[in-house]
Amino acid sequence: MPLQIADALAHAIIEERYAPGERLNEIQIAAKWGVSRSPLREALRILDKRGLVVITPQRGARVTALSLEEVEQLFEIRAVLVGLAAKGAANRVDGNAAQQLDVLLLQLEESLHDGERYERASATTTIEIAVMGRSPPLTEMIVSFAHRIGRYARLGLATQDRRTTSIAHWRSLVEAIQASDGELAETIHRRLALENRDEAVKVLRQRMNNPQITP
């Protein structure tokens, strides 16, 4: 139950249904889930470890603020990780994996006009590519980043123009993996991550300069 609550709250935070800096009302959330405060507090500790909330004694949990420094640091690391994952997938691709990539790409195509769905499809595809590379430690690191970086990935994919550029890269990435071109796959996936970083930084700076901009 704590993990289920943590995952649900994580998605709500990523989608900014809880705003950066907002205090999480334990009584309201516990009532919504029909649970006691104990499993909820365990869920909040999970989110604290994921970097999505900060818990202050006597004050409870607040959603962490979005940070230019954090987005740059997280995406620099993510670019290296996803690049290695794509290279590993290309080096080990087989018929089943190639077909699965076609399915994942179709899901991205179908969600192209919905920012929230597209971000989730992108995150799922990234993890599935990591699994194809058959490196459990690398996959674990990418999965552990998923929620923390999700808020920034969402910002980086918020516009239709940005998603149109992104899907072009995804098509090229799938082709590279299916062709067993590890070097090209690594380059493309890194580029995807870094372009998301650049767009997220752009959006955050706009918000800082104009606080009236809404999520």
Side-chain angles (χ1 to χ4, degrees), residues 78-131:
R78 181 176 173 82
V80 174
L81 296 178
V82 299
L84 291 174
K87 183 177 182 179
N91 290 339
R92 295 170 178 82
V93 69
D94 56 22
N96 289 334
Q99 290 180 358
Q100 185 180 3
L101 285 167
D102 286 335
V103 172
L104 292 166
L105 183 59
L106 179 60
Q107 291 172 353
L108 282 162
E109 299 273 9
E110 290 176 342
S111 63
L112 188 58
H113 299 292
D114 184 324
E116 304 293 355
R117 285 184 59 205
Y118 189 84
E119 186 279 323
R120 290 194 295 268
S122 296
T124 297
T125 304
T126 298
I127 292 171
E128 290 302 320
I129 287 173
V131 172

Side-chain angles (χ1 to χ4, degrees), residues 14-31:
I14 289 170
E15 295 173 359
E16 295 194 78
R17 283 180 272 137
Y18 294 106
E22 181 177 347
R23 181 178 176 274
L24 297 180
N25 188 310
E26 292 186 14
I27 296 175
Q28 290 180 357
I29 297 172

Side-chain angles (χ1 to χ4, degrees), residues 30-49:
K32 177 179 179 180
W33 279 83
V35 298
S36 67
R37 302 279 284 278
S38 180
L40 174 58
R41 286 174 175 168
E42 180 60 30
L44 293 175
R45 284 192 285 270
I46 293 171
L47 294 179
D48 183 45
K49 291 179 181 178

Side-chain angles (χ1 to χ4, degrees), residues 11 20 25 33 53 65 71 109-110 112 124 137 144 146 156 160 172 189 197 199 204-205 210:
H11 286 298
N25 188 310
W33 279 83
V53 306
V71 68
E109 299 273 9
E110 290 176 342
L112 188 58
T124 297
S144 72
Q160 186 62 56
S172 298
H189 214 173
R197 173 203 63 189
E199 184 66 18
L204 280 178
R205 283 182 174 152
N210 185 0

Side-chain angles (χ1 to χ4, degrees), residues 36-196:
S36 67
R37 302 279 284 278
S38 180
L40 174 58
R41 286 174 175 168
E42 180 60 30
L44 293 175
R45 284 192 285 270
I46 293 171
L47 294 179
D48 183 45
K49 291 179 181 178
R50 292 179 182 176
L52 292 177
V53 306
V54 58
I55 299 174
T56 304
Q58 310 304 320
R59 295 187 179 182
R62 287 186 181 274
V63 177
T64 53
L66 295 169
S67 158
L68 282 173
E69 182 179 13
E70 183 180 52
V71 68
E72 290 174 349
Q73 292 174 348
L74 290 178
F75 272 102
E76 289 288 341
I77 297 169
R78 181 176 173 82
V80 174
L81 296 178
V82 299
L84 291 174
K87 183 177 182 179
N91 290 339
R92 295 170 178 82
V93 69
D94 56 22
N96 289 334
Q99 290 180 358
Q100 185 180 3
L101 285 167
D102 286 335
V103 172
L104 292 166
L105 183 59
L106 179 60
Q107 291 172 353
L108 282 162
E109 299 273 9
E110 290 176 342
S111 63
L112 188 58
H113 299 292
D114 184 324
E116 304 293 355
R117 285 184 59 205
Y118 189 84
E119 186 279 323
R120 290 194 295 268
S122 296
T124 297
T125 304
T126 298
I127 292 171
E128 290 302 320
I129 287 173
V131 172
M132 290 175 192
R134 297 199 288 274
S135 172
L138 180 57
T139 301
E140 183 180 353
M141 284 187 280
I142 290 173
V143 169
S144 72
F145 260 59
H147 282 139
R148 186 167 183 177
I149 209 166
R151 293 196 294 170
Y152 299 111
R154 174 182 176 274
L155 296 180
L157 295 169
T159 67
Q160 186 62 56
D161 285 346
R162 177 69 196 99
R163 293 194 296 276
T164 298
T165 301
S166 171
I167 196 65
H169 288 323
W170 276 116
R171 293 182 191 119
S172 298
L173 176 57
V174 167
E175 289 178 3
I177 295 174
Q178 290 174 334
S180 299
D181 190 336
E183 297 299 327
L184 180 58
E186 181 177 14
T187 297
I188 294 171
H189 214 173
R190 284 194 181 198
R191 185 183 305 144
L192 258 172
L194 294 177
E195 287 186 0
N196 281 357

